[in-house]
């Protein structure tokens, strides 16, 4: 028996979400649809130019942990915050979701990370992230007992931006495999893939990572190709299992020669795509750690993603467990 189904490791970030039009992005030099890393000065500038905003705890892996918990799974999370107001907000929110979170906060600078997220009329989100305390996550923050007692340890590719986090991830993977557990990662976004392509491939090919989550654009970027079929075939060779999301076309899972394609869940209005990939991973991993078929895992992932894009913010406001029961998926 394990204490946790999924442990996620990521950048602990408070999202500050506001609506804007495309001209705002152009005027402020923001790359649409990407996660742009910014410094403290630019963070203050963009914040001063934002319209009315909603503050919500986020961070890719934190969203995934919250999704697993909302489905009824047992989730844990590692991420670095500071002992400040945003840090307190983050801690309250993730624990309120039912996620185990005990990472020791910083007592000094830098402050808790924040991401200014601008959502355009088409629901696309453009993230501008000041990493702050996230860069201080290191091997000393890896709780050995939690890793050893988690079926899957999952981390976000964004962690390859702060250098000390790489050592933490490799240590967590070592512990997980030593206890017969599995590891997973999300490629995060295509810009992140371009920055760390060789390192991501090494993580997969060395067996440090067992399971990979990506969207179509990230998979193409990983193999520097426009041939999606080639990317899928290579991905199947490079890791034990991979799940690739295809937006409105659903998702496809590859495991060796096996392929499973599942259509997207019916979605009403697309309000905000923030967290869609994170919640797909949550649904998939919830099913995977419960021993469900790859088709069921994909359906749970698509359901969770479909729900979160119909709301503002990256964490489910409604019970995913209830939604899964209504969809007869659990």
């Amino acid at each position: 028996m394990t204490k946790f189904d999924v442990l996620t490791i990521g950048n602990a970030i408070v999202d500050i979400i506001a609506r804007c039009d495309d001209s705002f992005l152009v005027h402020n030099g923001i790359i649409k649809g990407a996660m742009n890393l910014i410094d403290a000065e630019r963070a203050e500038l963009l914040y001063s130019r934002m319209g009315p905003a909603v503050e919500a705890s986020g961070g890719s892996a934190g969203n995934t942990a919250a999704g697993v918990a909302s489905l009824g799974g047992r989730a844990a999370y590692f991420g670095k915050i500071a002992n400040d107001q945003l840090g307190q907000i983050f801690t309250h929110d993730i624990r309120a979701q039912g996620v185990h979170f005990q990472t020791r906060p910083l007592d000094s600078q830098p402050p808790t990370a924040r991401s200014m997220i601008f959502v355009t009329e088409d629901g696309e989100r453009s993230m501008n992230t000041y990493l702050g305390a996230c860069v201080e996550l290191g091997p000393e923050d890896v709780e050995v007992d939690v890793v050893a007692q988690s079926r899957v340890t999952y981390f976000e590719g964004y962690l390859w931006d702060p250098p000390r986090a790489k050592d933490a991830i490799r240590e967590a993977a070592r512990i997980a495999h030593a206890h017969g557990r599995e590891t997973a990662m999300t490629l995060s976004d295509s810009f992140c893939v371009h920055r760390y392509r060789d390192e991501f491939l090494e993580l997969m090919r060395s067996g440090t990572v067992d399971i990979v989550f990506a969207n179509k654009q990230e998979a193409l970027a990983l193999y520097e190709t426009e041939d999606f079929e080639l990317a899928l075939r290579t991905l199947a060779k490079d890791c034990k299992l991979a799940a690739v999301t295809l937006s409105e076309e659903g998702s496809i899972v590859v495991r060796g020669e096996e392929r499973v394609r599942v259509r997207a869940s019916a979605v009403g209005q697309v309000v905000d795509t923030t967290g869609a990939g994170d919640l797909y991973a949550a649904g998939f991993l919830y099913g995977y750690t419960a021993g469900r078929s790859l088709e069921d895992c994909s359906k749970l992932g698509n359901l969770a993603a479909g729900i979160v894009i119909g709301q503002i913010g990256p964490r489910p406001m409604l019970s995913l467990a209830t939604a899964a029961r209504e969809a007869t998926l659990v």
Side-chain angles (χ1 to χ4, degrees), residues 6 10 30 51 70 75 78 92 102-103 115 117 143-144 193 198 201 224 243 261 269 287 305 308 316 320 323:
V6 182
I30 297 169
S70 183
F78 298 165
H92 170 271
Q102 296 293 338
T103 306
S115 182
I117 301 178
E143 300 166 49
V144 176
V193 174
D198 291 341
L201 288 172
E224 297 183 317
R261 187 158 189 163
Q269 182 183 7
V308 83
L320 293 183

Side-chain angles (χ1 to χ4, degrees), residues 11 39 46 63 73 83 92 95 121 131 139 171 224 245 255 264 275 278 300 316:
N11 290 324
D39 58 20
L46 290 178
N63 298 338
N83 190 13
H92 170 271
R95 289 179 179 170
E121 292 180 0
L131 289 176
E171 175 63 8
E224 297 183 317
T245 56
R255 180 169 60 186
D278 306 331
L300 284 162

